[in-house]
Amino acid sequence: MSLLSARDVVGGYTKADTILKGVSVTANAGEIVAILGPNGAGKSTLLKAIAGQLDVREGAVELNGTAINGLKPREIAQRGVAYVPQEANVFPSMTIRENLEIGGYLAPKHVAERMAEIFERFPMLAEKRREAARTLSGGQRQVLAVAVALMVAPTLMLLDEPSAGLSPVATAELFNTIRSIRDRGVAVVLVEQNALDALGLAERAYILAAGANHISGNAADLAADPDVRKAFLGG
């Protein structure tokens, strides 16, 4: 049984605007799954639907075989789903430590323990713990956003465009961080515009088009397919 199973998901921002038209994805523990496709394909909308940020009008979203669609975002987070949006994913005026404390609000008894683990895992954050998040570079800020998500001890992490605006070096460092999270048994589902880099990171991938599944499979196989490369990956 897959850790995450989203089946035939239909939804959007309004009833008159259906963006997702029956999308299905799965993710297993310790696996990175990339969600790719052109602008407007429904990639970010799918993550929001899984995280409870948008209503699922039809279909089902299950975590370990239990339906979570219809629950509030807080309740879904309490079940181990961490969602990191592309923008506004940290509080710039607050310190790194304060951002992490907010990330642990769902489990206040474990904040100190988890923060200590974060600081051991990310020495850069430990060194800058008293500095405001706005002082971080773009790559460091994304690491902080991921660290804040880890404060809920997730089994599933949803990342929306984590490499947006980052340099190649910062992207490589962030992707190494994502791999380390995967290696600890967390399922990672990420939306990426940089399709080839995402396929190099992921084990499996789904390519969406017009709000529906178009192609899915092993990430390396999709990256090597000349037809897929020509149609979706820029040649």
Side-chain angles (χ1 to χ4, degrees), residues 87-105:
E87 299 177 343
N89 51 24
V90 299
F91 295 94
S93 63
M94 293 184 176
T95 66
I96 279 78
R97 184 183 185 89
E98 289 168 339
N99 271 274
L100 293 172
E101 287 173 345
I102 290 175
Y105 79 101

Side-chain angles (χ1 to χ4, degrees), residues 24-25 27 34 60-62 65 68 77 88-89 112 125 130 142 168 211 215 227:
S24 297
V25 303
V61 179
E62 296 180 353
I68 59 172
N89 51 24
L125 296 181
R130 295 181 179 84
Q142 286 298 83
I215 303 171
D227 293 332

